[in-house]
Amino acid sequence: MNLKLSKSDSTALQKLIDRRVMARQIISTELASEIAKLAFNLKTQISCLIDRQGKVREYYIGELNKISSVKAQASREGLARLAQLRLIVVSPKKEITKAELLFLKRYRFDLMLFVHADKNTEFSSSKGDFLGYADYGQLCYLISDLDERWKIEEKQTIREIGEINLPELIKDIEEDLASLAETVKTKQKEKAILVGLSSKANYEDSFSELYGLTTTAGAEVCEQIAQSINKPDSRFYVGAGKIQEIQLIAEDKEADLIIFDSELTPSQKRNIEKEIGGRVKVIDRTELILDIFAQRALSEEGKLQVELAQLKYMAPRLVGKGIGLSQLGGGIGTRGPGETKLEVMRRHIKERINVLENKVKDLSQIRSVQRRLRKQRQIPLVSIAGYTNAGKSTLFNALTNSHVLTENKLFATLDPIIREIKSPYNFLLSDTVGFIQDLPTTLIDAFKATLEEIGEADLILTVLDASHPNRFEHLKVIKFIYEQLKVENYPELLVLNKVDLLSAEELDKLKSLFPLALCVSAENKIGFSSLIEEVSVKLKLNL
Ligand SMILES: Nc1nc2c(ncn2[C@@H]2O[C@H](COP(=O)(O)OP(=O)(O)OP(=O)(O)O)[C@@H](O)[C@H]2O)c(=O)[nH]1
Ligand SMILES: [Mg+2]
């Protein structure tokens, strides 16, 4: 800030340094009016921090934009703790701004006092209590109400404020906040802000899918932010200005997580964390998917594969960092079967990746032996594949009388399962992990052993949720992943599921688009006999 200080102003400013007020007083009327006079004359805002002993620690001239001397104190555990400092904002402007209230929250000041600096005042004069330039004061402090978060008291004259018993007030505030810390401890869900670019191809679908992924992972979405720039910014993914905005929103909404709708490059992630980091975690779509997988992996094999995928994702992002990942705290993006192992440094991670890769190779071998045995028995294998949440497991359960978990959530199934179907034609049916657009390549890699199952099939049943608004997109993604798994030329049957949710008209339209497809409702067991018949015919032809 470039202020042209007159000699007398600068002497006045000098005199303010190292001032004290009584420890039991928020501010003395003298100090308040001295600062107010200066603020009024300079037409600028002057703020200061006073500690609990009453010593003025620091002054800030101009709008507050950074308080570098104080560490933000916003960990959830520290909710009842205050900064032991009060913030006094003396300004010619009439009202407190949101930005200042956010400072109160971010640094958890004991309280904030806003003093209106004015000469020809109506407020305090009308009360017969005008002290030079300090017109009225307004107290603000944090409260336990989760929706309000702070209380702004009615305007008071500075003399009235000077008479408040500060230690008692702080005690009341701390007691109130302690109750909040208890509430928050029992409140489990993390709050997430989703960030995407509206220039991304079909970004709305991608966004709504990200929403589904977020809730599946167990967080709640508190805000969605889309920016329209042509291509991702190489430094921050979104524009630099947008990052500031996101930070403010995150603070305002008390978000725990910011989730980016694409995979971030290692440097983008580092830059964003530098700007926004601290209390909020920054993760991308890939990490979110990895987290869901980590939560869902039950079998040894599944856990192994998830850990491998997580490590492979993290390895390049640890370059030069060398910090324990445990420092990120718990929750989405940090969970995983290998959580304790994730604390080892880069070098160890590399070693671990090697070990895991070998184990996965072993698994592949075991699976291929099993497959060979199956082949010897001459029982054909039919693999169910398709987009996540299409109803694959529901179909599997209905056909095999099993009870694999089915859920209206993404990635309910992770571990492959195979059952035999005896009548009328003997074959094996397998259910496995679903697909999703932008399925992280690290995951495809790590889940090779699982997905190879599809590659061994004599017939693939591609299950499509025919009622989904993005069904055609889903089909494209499925084909794309088939290509990656090199199974695109395999014998295949398209199964249009959830037809119970379609109108007769829509169903006819789909039937004419896909004349060879089988229409079923896995949930209502509709269309099964033609499905089984068609499977039998195909298998006989292929064997
Ligand atoms: N209305 C209707 N809902 C269905 C039908 N089939 C499955 N569902 C529902 O769709 C949701 C997903 O079913 P799942 O069988 O878990 O889907 P999935 O393809 O195995 O999903 P992931 O394992 O997560 O990849 C569940 O809520 C099912 O109840 C159907 O034919 N009609
Ligand atoms: Mg499933």
Side-chain angles (χ1 to χ4, degrees), residues 41 76 100 110 145 158 253 274 310 329 391 412 421 510 530:
N41 287 340
R76 290 200 150 182
E100 283 147 9
D110 294 351
D145 186 317
I158 298 302
K253 303 261 170 184
K274 225 187 253 165
Q310 286 186 319
I421 294 188
L510 279 177
S530 2

Side-chain angles (χ1 to χ4, degrees), residues 521-534:
S521 165
E523 188 117 304
N524 304 304
K525 304 194 177 174
I526 295 171
F528 282 12
S529 49
S530 2
L531 173 66
I532 299 269
E533 203 179 298
E534 196 58 33

Side-chain angles (χ1 to χ4, degrees), residues 244-404:
Q244 303 298 333
E245 194 185 312
I246 293 170
Q247 180 180 17
L248 281 180
I249 295 173
E251 225 170 274
D252 189 27
K253 303 261 170 184
E254 309 224 310
D256 304 282
L257 273 172
I258 300 177
I259 307 176
F260 286 79
D261 190 28
S262 292
E263 193 165 306
L264 298 173
T265 65
S267 79
Q268 280 171 337
K269 186 164 165 157
R270 263 198 303 275
N271 293 336
I272 297 169
E273 272 171 352
K274 225 187 253 165
E275 285 298 309
I276 304 185
R279 202 179 80 91
V280 246
K281 266 179 292 171
V282 177
I283 67 171
D284 62 18
R285 191 185 172 89
T286 302
E287 280 174 284
L288 183 62
I289 294 177
L290 286 173
D291 186 84
I292 295 172
F293 273 60
Q295 289 182 52
R296 304 237 155 192
L298 293 175
S299 68
E300 271 311 300
E301 183 179 4
K303 288 180 186 169
L304 208 89
Q305 295 177 109
V306 173
E307 186 183 351
L308 180 59
Q310 286 186 319
L311 290 180
K312 278 194 162 173
Y313 176 84
M314 275 165 187
R317 286 165 174 80
L318 276 181
V319 178
K321 254 185 161 181
I323 54 153
L325 287 163
S326 61
Q327 287 174 16
L328 294 174
I332 292 180
T334 59
R335 255 182 304 244
E339 192 169 317
T340 49
K341 287 161 206 146
L342 294 184
E343 283 172 8
V344 295
M345 303 296 228
R346 228 180 332 155
R347 183 163 46 87
H348 294 142
I349 287 180
K350 240 188 185 159
E351 283 165 16
R352 180 88 191 136
I353 287 178
N354 271 338
V355 171
L356 289 174
E357 274 180 337
N358 285 333
K359 282 197 184 167
V360 168
K361 246 185 231 152
D362 292 347
L363 280 172
S364 279
Q365 256 162 15
I366 295 172
R367 283 196 171 274
S368 83
V369 171
Q370 286 171 344
R371 278 184 225 122
R372 219 174 312 133
L373 289 175
R374 234 167 27 218
K375 284 237 161 87
Q376 279 169 6
R377 285 180 63 204
Q378 300 240 313
I379 310 177
L381 173 68
V382 177
S383 284
I384 298 178
Y387 214 77
T388 179
N389 212 36
K392 301 181 296 299
S393 301
T394 311
L395 182 67
F396 179 85
N397 285 343
L399 291 175
T400 61
N401 249 328
S402 313
H403 300 282
V404 170

Side-chain angles (χ1 to χ4, degrees), residues 124-189:
S124 50
S125 306
S126 70
K127 295 200 159 198
D129 207 8
F130 183 55
L131 288 167
Y133 292 79
D135 184 13
Y136 55 81
Q138 258 185 308
L139 276 178
C140 327
Y141 45 83
L142 298 172
I143 53 170
S144 62
D145 186 317
L146 277 170
D147 295 323
E148 301 284 334
R149 305 325 302 262
W150 51 63
K151 179 170 179 178
I152 305 174
E153 291 214 332
E154 295 284 306
K155 291 172 185 169
Q156 289 171 280
T157 65
I158 298 302
R159 204 184 303 278
E160 284 166 332
I161 285 177
E163 281 161 12
I164 293 171
N165 183 323
L166 179 64
E168 262 174 33
L169 176 62
I170 290 180
K171 195 165 147 262
D172 289 348
I173 296 172
E174 282 179 336
E175 274 174 16
D176 176 43
L177 291 176
S179 70
L180 171 69
E182 278 307 307
T183 333
V184 169
K185 248 186 233 158
T186 51
K187 178 186 150 264
Q188 292 292 331
K189 279 202 171 162

Side-chain angles (χ1 to χ4, degrees), residues 77-116:
E77 296 71 38
L79 276 179
R81 229 178 297 141
L82 292 173
Q84 315 252 326
L85 289 167
R86 52 189 181 275
L87 174 66
I88 314 286
V89 175
V90 185
S91 176
K93 74 186 176 203
K94 289 205 156 151
E95 303 292 338
I96 308 159
T97 63
K98 183 83 179 263
E100 283 147 9
L101 288 163
L102 287 175
F103 272 113
L104 170 71
K105 204 169 79 178
R106 184 189 307 169
Y107 297 103
R108 308 198 66 74
F109 291 124
D110 294 351
L111 54 81
M112 174 164 84
L113 171 67
F114 173 82
V115 178
H116 177 229

Side-chain angles (χ1 to χ4, degrees), residues 392-394 404-406 412-413 431-432:
K392 301 181 296 299
S393 301
T394 311
V404 170
L405 170 77
T406 64
T413 312
D431 178 26
T432 182

